[in-house]
Amino acid sequence: MSKSWRSKSITIFLVLFSVSILLFAFTFVNSTPYTGQSIAETYNLTVGQSVFNGDSIVGENETIQLPLLSNLGFIGHQLLAFDLQGILMSVSTGVVPFDFTTVSSEGIDSYGKAVGIDGPGYLTFEGDKLAVKGPDNYVWGYSAPSKVLTKTSSGVNLVEDGKLIKSIPANEIKNLNFSSEYFNNDTIVSWYNYDAQEGDNFTIDKGMVGFSDGRNNINASDVPRIFGQDVVDYAAEYPTGSPILLYSGNYTEQQGGQGSTTFDSHPEYGDSIREINANQFVEAWNGTVIPPNSTSSGKDYVYFESASDASAPGGSAAHGVCPPARALRDAALAEGFEMPVGLTSDESAVLFGYNPASGVTVTNNHTYPVKILMWTEGEGVGMGIYCQIVRYIPEK
């Protein structure tokens, strides 16, 4: 054994021996009963926050430091981890990192990092102890406005997470730099001039609220980090307030209810316009995922052409949507769902007054999610229109 290694070994032994003596001498110094609740309140831990494996529950690069002499027992987790640098630091500085295993039940290591979880977990209480729980097999929430433009008497207010950022005069709205795949400044100007009443909101970004597992709401900037850009893109397609399947574990896809119909001819309403509307209906509903015991509409930002109809309110209607609506209705009923809101059992399946995309809703009464698939085969009169419900059956 070299002299340098022998010297290091003696130093390590002496440090450990000294620590052992100190632990024995001060075993009864600290009588403060720590609990998960007291630690969370004292150090402002964000219970309900979403965390991944390796994340600290006390924030980025943060620890809770306590006086060494009154918390000598906490040096034990440094000994168990053979954290010599940490031990020397504690002895030299007189402070020791809090041992979270004393107030946690699962999912948190002694240094306050999330461990043993797969996917986006969350910090919670389990009795009087802290715990990091992994995500349920399915996690869902609801989209909510995070950044909005609110129409005022003189322009719009830019509001983010409930806070007024700035007021924008009407003549400057055209210069706003907000856009997505579904809207741009022209859309916003049109909304302001023709659609909005004072107090109405135009949603720019969406966060997530009302989680199925009770975790905290998430603002728009954190959604892609925690649940991925796909969730952001999906939420953008659907009306604000729609249920969104945010995470899914292991599941098997199983075919459920089916429906089909044929695009028929009604030349009095213009079959070319009707075909456009039929395809728009299919586009609006294809790919819609409905979480358990939730209700969803089709996509937003899907537009339909109007055809003259003296019997319709206002003298026009989006004819052509009834054939695909019949396919959707039949698949939903075959799956054991109730009649979708906005549809009827008649040949004219869509009720007047309901937008066929964002106004019609389907309720999933299962304990697992379902996905609605819609597609067409062929074109023009005689085009086949199909709907398939796909079940996401959880694997045991």
Side-chain angles (χ1 to χ4, degrees), residues 268-345:
E268 67 273 23
Y269 302 125
D271 284 339
S272 60
I273 290 178
R274 292 180 63 250
E275 185 178 358
I276 291 172
N277 287 341
N279 282 306
Q280 286 293 91
F281 188 101
V282 170
E283 168 66 20
W285 283 92
N286 183 43
T288 298
V289 178
I290 311 179
N293 297 303
S294 300
T295 299
S296 180
S297 71
K299 298 180 179 73
D300 215 349
Y301 301 111
V302 175
Y303 299 97
F304 299 92
E305 300 287 341
S306 294
S308 297
D309 183 352
S311 64
S316 65
H319 285 291
V321 297
C322 288
R326 292 196 294 270
L328 173 64
R329 175 196 66 197
D330 294 347
L333 294 178
E335 186 61 19
F337 299 161
E338 295 182 355
M339 176 70 73
V341 172
L343 302 186
T344 74
S345 58

Side-chain angles (χ1 to χ4, degrees), residues 183-307:
F183 66 84
N184 54 30
N185 280 1
D186 290 340
T187 314
I188 295 171
V189 170
S190 177
W191 164 81
Y192 180 83
N193 289 332
Y194 305 110
D195 300 324
Q197 303 294 321
E198 189 171 336
D200 287 350
N201 292 328
F202 187 98
T203 301
I204 303 297
D205 289 323
K206 298 176 182 178
M208 294 292 155
V209 303
F211 287 92
S212 57
D213 56 11
R215 71 180 68 206
N216 290 352
N217 298 340
I218 298 175
N219 62 31
S221 62
D222 285 333
V223 173
R225 177 181 65 84
I226 297 172
F227 292 109
Q229 185 62 38
D230 288 348
V231 166
V232 177
D233 296 339
Y234 184 95
E237 291 186 303
Y238 288 80
T240 301
S242 295
I244 312 292
L245 183 65
L246 301 162
Y247 172 86
S248 57
N250 296 323
Y251 64 87
T252 300
E253 293 190 5
Q254 182 184 91
Q255 290 192 352
Q258 303 176 32
S260 63
T261 189
T262 300
F263 183 71
D264 49 4
S265 177
H266 287 277
E268 67 273 23
Y269 302 125
D271 284 339
S272 60
I273 290 178
R274 292 180 63 250
E275 185 178 358
I276 291 172
N277 287 341
N279 282 306
Q280 286 293 91
F281 188 101
V282 170
E283 168 66 20
W285 283 92
N286 183 43
T288 298
V289 178
I290 311 179
N293 297 303
S294 300
T295 299
S296 180
S297 71
K299 298 180 179 73
D300 215 349
Y301 301 111
V302 175
Y303 299 97
F304 299 92
E305 300 287 341
S306 294

Side-chain angles (χ1 to χ4, degrees), residues 36 39-47 49-52 54-65 97-100 103 108-114 123 130 132:
I39 289 296
E41 291 177 353
T42 302
Y43 296 99
N44 297 317
L45 303 188
T46 308
V47 176
Q49 65 177 301
S50 295
V51 294
F52 288 91
D55 286 350
S56 172
I57 65 171
V58 295
E60 191 69 22
N61 299 319
E62 293 182 16
T63 59
I64 294 176
Q65 300 284 348
F98 183 78
D99 183 356
F100 277 91
V103 295
I108 304 173
D109 73 7
S110 61
Y111 290 91
K113 291 185 177 180
L123 179 65
L130 291 166
V132 168

Side-chain angles (χ1 to χ4, degrees), residues 1 5 19 33 65 71 73 97 112 122 129 175-176 180 191 213 225 233 235 255 266 305 316 328 354 360 365 369 373:
M1 179 183 293
W5 175 245
V19 169
Q65 300 284 348
N71 294 278
Y122 62 102
K129 292 184 177 293
N175 299 322
L176 292 174
S180 75
W191 164 81
D213 56 11
R225 177 181 65 84
D233 296 339
Q255 290 192 352
H266 287 277
E305 300 287 341
S316 65
L328 173 64
Y354 286 86
V360 171
N365 57 20
L373 298 178

